[in-house]
Amino acid sequence: MSGVETVEVGPDEADLRLDRWFRRHYPGLSHGRLEKLLRTGQVRVDGRRARAGQRLSPGQRVRVPPQAGGAPTAARPAKGSPPSDADAAFVRALVIHRDDHVIALNKPPGLAVQGGTGTRRHLDAMLDALRDGERERPRLVHRLDRDTSGVLLLARSAAVASRLGRSFRGRDVRKIYWAFVVGVPEIAAGRIDMPLDKRGPAGGERMAGDERTGKRAQTLYRIMGRVGNRASWLALWPLTGRTHQLRVHCAAIGTPIVGDGKYGGRHAFLQADGVARRLHLHAREISLPHPSGSGTLRVRAELPPHMVASWRMFGFDAGDTADPFADMA
């Protein structure tokens, strides 16, 4: 049938009901019409018949017939132009772990994970270069902010994406971040518990603490190193996964992440030669049950160049592999 589209479920749409996914991307499609398309098998998920209340996982593919009413809103068709030779070589160089089920990348700062308004070059558009002859292209199962570097996991099949999606929705995934912040927390290790909600107009939203309307957000932290009272290196463990959670939480305790003008203002920039005016936030390590069902998958990513320079300047040990939360887990 001409006009049929295949649209990939995004990493921020884990556990979203199929009918709500359609409401988000095809607002002109009525619920009754969607139910008819489902009953007749014209809407499918990963090639199988689906139900309106079915929960989606990142990387799954939704078959959308032309009767849905035009192009999707804020969604990218699963198939697109192949990456250029330069982009293919670039993304292959980011691989830090590969097995039969997953690929892990060390995402550089400044690279968007997915496309959007004004974003032409993004990681998702390069993933065909990592097929290695496989029928299925690797799938995103979570994301990092454009300016955050570090470990990013990809599933090598829809089945693995579904299993990883369940792990990310539960409490099976442990993500450790490193941040260089202005100032030093009053307490050497602790828990930041501050619900977060969005503020501002579309396209210019900011996250802010809000006890009344905010969603639960918790972060464990520990000081790993310090520069007197001027700055410190923190290990961060987000127990929840809210947008900009670590940036807002660090600013809330008076230690904004270096380079984070959005949440720290002018106080987020150290007056020191050699410290880049870029965000100093890095997804250092991720660990979770291996999707094969055997053992634990643990991947670490080395710091990006601008953070390596800061670590060297202040004598921090970038090779530190100690568990900062061994007594807090």
Side-chain angles (χ1 to χ4, degrees):
M1 179 188 297
S2 63
V4 172
E5 295 181 284
T6 302
V7 182
E8 187 170 297
V9 178
D12 60 340
E13 296 176 321
D15 212 32
L16 190 66
R17 285 171 54 110
L18 180 61
D19 54 359
R20 292 177 181 170
W21 184 90
F22 268 94
R23 193 180 310 157
R24 174 184 293 185
H25 296 291
Y26 297 85
L29 180 67
S30 69
H31 185 76
R33 184 61 177 158
L34 173 61
E35 287 285 4
K36 184 175 180 179
L37 293 174
L38 288 166
R39 284 197 306 273
T40 56
Q42 295 182 69
V43 169
R44 292 173 177 260
V45 177
D46 284 341
R48 299 183 180 88
R49 285 181 174 266
R51 297 172 290 102
Q54 177 175 331
R55 299 285 179 173
L56 299 173
S57 296
Q60 286 187 311
R61 305 206 172 178
V62 182
R63 181 187 188 274
V64 182
Q67 295 93 323
T73 300
R76 187 190 65 81
K79 294 182 180 180
S81 301
S84 66
D85 290 345
D87 279 345
F90 170 79
V91 74
R92 289 176 189 134
L94 302 181
V95 175
I96 54 176
H97 172 86
R98 183 195 302 266
D99 60 38
D100 291 339
H101 302 273
V102 300
I103 297 171
L105 308 179
N106 186 357
K107 187 191 85 68
L111 177 66
V113 172
Q114 289 185 297
T117 303
T119 302
R120 295 186 177 181
R121 186 172 187 263
H122 53 88
L123 187 62
D124 195 25
M126 306 176 193
L127 296 186
D128 277 312
L130 301 178
R131 281 179 185 264
D132 288 342
E134 297 294 329
R135 182 178 63 84
E136 297 186 73
R137 85 194 287 269
R139 300 159 188 246
L140 294 163
V141 293
H142 67 122
R143 61 180 179 177
L144 296 174
D145 290 344
R146 179 197 297 266
D147 293 322
T148 301
S149 58
V151 182
L152 187 73
L153 282 186
L154 308 172
R156 300 192 68 175
S157 68
V160 172
S162 181
R163 290 195 289 272
L164 289 175
R166 288 194 293 271
S167 292
F168 275 89
R169 290 194 297 273
R171 297 181 64 90
D172 294 334
V173 179
R174 186 183 188 197
K175 293 183 283 186
I176 305 300
Y177 289 74
W178 282 1
F180 187 40
V181 303
V182 178
V184 181
E186 293 182 2
I187 302 172
R191 180 190 300 255
I192 305 167
D193 191 344
M194 185 176 73
L196 301 177
D197 202 358
K198 285 185 179 180
R199 296 285 184 271
E205 301 98 334
R206 290 167 53 91
M207 300 301 291
D210 193 316
E211 293 288 343
R212 186 176 61 86
T213 64
K215 295 182 179 179
R216 175 175 171 267
Q218 294 184 324
T219 301
L220 298 182
Y221 75 88
R222 182 179 295 278
I223 299 173
M224 303 289 288
R226 57 189 295 168
V227 185
N229 293 321
R230 188 182 181 194
S232 51
W233 159 24
L234 301 184
L236 304 167
W237 178 2
L239 302 180
T240 52
R242 307 301 174 203
T243 301
H244 294 174
Q245 175 177 319
L246 300 181
R247 296 167 64 180
V248 180
H249 277 179
C250 284
I253 63 171
T255 56
I257 298 174
V258 171
D260 188 10
K262 181 166 186 170
Y263 292 104
R266 61 184 178 83
H267 301 293
F269 298 95
L270 278 179
Q271 300 304 311
D273 291 338
V275 176
R277 294 174 66 84
R278 304 185 69 177
L279 187 69
H280 283 59
L281 179 61
H282 179 72
R284 168 64 171 172
E285 179 180 314
I286 191 167
S287 58
L288 68 160
H290 198 285
S292 66
S294 176
T296 298
L297 174 66
R298 178 174 288 108
V299 184
R300 289 194 182 100
E302 298 302 316
L303 292 172
H306 74 282
M307 291 183 69
V308 169
S310 296
W311 258 239
R312 286 175 178 167
M313 175 178 290
F314 297 109
F316 298 151
D317 180 7
D320 193 330
T321 59
D323 182 354
F325 301 107
D327 60 342
M328 299 173 67

